[in-house]
Amino acid sequence: MLYSTKRNEFRELLLFECLFLLAVMVSCSPPEEPVKCSSKNSNCTITNSYGTFADRAVCRAGNVAYPTTEQELVSIVSAATKAKRKMKVVTRFSHSIPKLVCPDGQDGLLISTKYLNHVVKIDAAAMTFTVESGVTLRQLIQEAAKAGLALPYAPYWWGLTIGGLLGTGAHGSSLWGKGSAVNDYVIEMRIVSPAGPEEGYAKVRVLTDRDKDLDAAKVSLGVLGVISQVTFKLQPLFKRSITYVTKDDTDLGDEAITFGKMHEFADIFWYPSQRKAVYRIDDRVSSNASGNGLYDFTPFRSTPSLALALVRSTEETQESLRDADGKCLSANLLTSTLQMGAYGLTNNGIIFTGYPVIGFHDRLQSSGTCLDSLDDSVINACAWDPRIKGEFFQQTTFSIGLSVVKSFIEDVQTLVALEPKAFCGLELYNGILMRYVKASSAYLGKQEDAIDFDITYYRSKDPMAPRLYQDILDEIEQIGLLKYGALPHWGKNRNLAFDGVIKKYKNAGKFLKVKNMYDPSGLFSSEWTDQILGLTNEVTTLKEGCALEGLCICSQDIHCAPSQGYLCRPGKIFQNASVCTLVNPK
Ligand SMILES: Cc1cc2nc3c(=O)[nH]c(=O)nc-3n(C[C@H](O)[C@H](O)[C@H](O)COP(=O)(O)OP(=O)(O)OC[C@H]3O[C@@H](n4cnc5c(N)ncnc54)[C@H](O)[C@@H]3O)c2cc1C
Ligand SMILES: *[C@@H]1O[C@H](CO)[C@@H](O)[C@H](O)[C@H]1NC(C)=O
Ligand SMILES: *[C@@H]1O[C@H](CO)[C@@H](O)[C@H](O)[C@H]1NC(C)=O
Ligand SMILES: *[C@@H]1O[C@H](CO)[C@@H](O)[C@H](O)[C@H]1NC(C)=O
């Protein structure tokens, strides 16, 4: 992610400017709407927060509806069911990279949860918290804290909605308690699904933790209907103490497992080229421990678009010149700057004076101040905002069972030894984020205790352009998925990660049974969800250049970029991998 040394001063200046502008009645507003319609709420296109899906699909819909109550939601689903229309739920920001949100065809109906964004009920004594599904993670954390409650583990980014993060099994990092997936803290859910004429074409189901169906609905990919409300079991608000410690990564394979068991909120940034790992020592402490720390993660802050454009241009040049050394230099600068700035931690909300940073959980667990960027993002934005020239990346994110994760880490280290500079590209996006997840009772949730690897790297604006060291990162992707049976995050990844994915879920059959019961005509399904659920043809299609952006695993040179010297070759250490390799570089 982006960082520049001048940035803090710049930010202060911009903040000042923003406040000044506010004073003269120009508003500060968050990222763009993902749905755009040519006439009022009809003839629409839908995209995600990056402006591009994994396969660059252009998605259309006949119209979009904005229910404000469950009652309105029911009548919308009912009318569309009666008309046999395809439906999909769209959220305020639409953060998933795969095209989960696209209805098939041109005339589908988008149902937005933008105005289903209220807290319904807080029961402080029972520690339960009920929200509408369009409530964002930021709202949930802040509202719960006001009632003295906390969701113990959550994704690190404020911008996700409850419906969307449950839909894709999103998580934070922990091997403690029920683990880090938010879905494992759901105790009740209301979901609106299609029904027959005798039931008025739509029906609300109330699922409690005594219903087995809840295990289907709590990670549903959006194919069971519209989640209207969710009730979580929370905990009393507590304090945490965070210290980042940088170490040599030689024994990471062993360390990673014991570290996760030792610290409740442990995670690791891994910088393979630098042979370093940054361990986050993060535990609960007594509420009377002093400190009012704040985590405003640097890469999730608003960034001047001029700085973003400069960083992007630099990387584009490094790619076109195949300047690996340049990338390594930039990566070192970025990671050391982040480290010096404690990744955005402060001891009191203003400055960082040293570890440990102690503070209340709600101020440390997630962030995303770039959501409050200046209107139109001309000056300040989230780094990936598609309206400006900024970050544009691929994300390979999967979890590998604890029983085999050491071998995976060692395989990566073997590749590092062969091609050390190949990993500088991902260090430019702050390295590999390693987080802990636990086996879940959700049918489409994690199958075993595991470490989730989050790998972010350059994506060209040109889908036919090969990437620097494409072969090495693609080999790691295939080592994870094929050799160690990794489970891809449902809301991230390139298409190939989902090929045959459903075979990795032992309760997939139970999930499909519930889907057949809730939505027998598949009105909430699309070709994409049918493919990933194994109900139709495979996800990948073989065509010219398909392996360059992970739309396929290459089997012939034409799937790579032969005119630019990239040919389909076996992996360097995993023979079963097939990757686009630069043969005879000039
Ligand atoms: C900056 C950033 C940081 C991230 N950090 C993390 C992280 O720390 N951990 C993590 O696990 N993931 C993370 N993610 C990925 C994220 O969790 C997923 O992409 C998530 O699904 C997106 O949530 P959303 O609200 O944007 O949902 P969307 O992408 O809009 O929707 C996801 C799916 O859920 C369905 N859906 C949404 N609402 C409902 C509803 N009410 N009823 C039925 N179906 C519904 C949609 O139709 C779609 O199929 C991050 C993403 C970004 C951009
Ligand atoms: C729908 O929008 C597209 C552009 O997005 C436009 O070309 C087309 O004419 C519109 N159709 C109708 C019926 O409004
Ligand atoms: C903090 O609270 C604990 C009990 O929760 C108590 O034992 C301890 O003495 C307190 N410490 C201070 C410094 O007040
Ligand atoms: C490699 O491929 C062969 C032949 O397809 C297969 O039998 C073997 O199980 C694969 N090995 C791994 C580790 O995937």
Side-chain angles (χ1 to χ4, degrees), residues 1 49-50 88-91 93-97 100-101 113 133-134 154-157 159-165 167-172 220-223 225-228 300 384 395 435 454 489 491-492:
M1 302 264 169
S49 61
Y50 312 99
K88 278 288 175 193
V89 180
V90 59
T91 65
F93 301 116
S94 188
H95 281 114
S96 293
I97 299 174
L100 283 168
V101 65
T113 57
S133 65
Y156 292 180
W157 164 243
L160 312 176
T161 65
I162 297 309
L165 67 83
T168 58
H171 57 84
S220 71
L221 310 179
V223 300
V226 189
I227 297 162
S228 154
F300 293 170
W384 51 87
Q395 271 188 328
R435 290 190 287 189
D454 220 310
H489 190 303
K492 304 186 186 184

Side-chain angles (χ1 to χ4, degrees), residues 56 312 315-316 318-322 327 394 457-471 474 494 545-550 557 559-567 579-583:
R56 302 189 189 232
R312 177 68 187 183
E315 195 173 12
E316 282 171 351
Q318 288 162 346
E319 279 284 327
S320 68
L321 301 176
R322 293 209 291 270
K327 280 207 179 193
Q394 307 264 21
Y457 47 96
Y458 180 85
R459 182 178 194 182
S460 173
K461 289 281 173 183
D462 173 4
M464 299 306 258
R467 221 181 334 108
L468 185 59
Y469 290 118
Q470 161 124 23
D471 54 338
D474 290 7
R494 317 192 304 166
C546 60
L548 295 171
E549 288 209 305
D557 292 340
H559 302 145
C560 296
S563 65
Q564 297 173 70
Y566 282 77
L567 307 180
V579 295
C580 297
T581 306
L582 181 58
V583 177

Side-chain angles (χ1 to χ4, degrees), residues 38-39 43 45 60:
S38 67
S39 50
N43 193 20
T45 58
R60 303 194 58 90

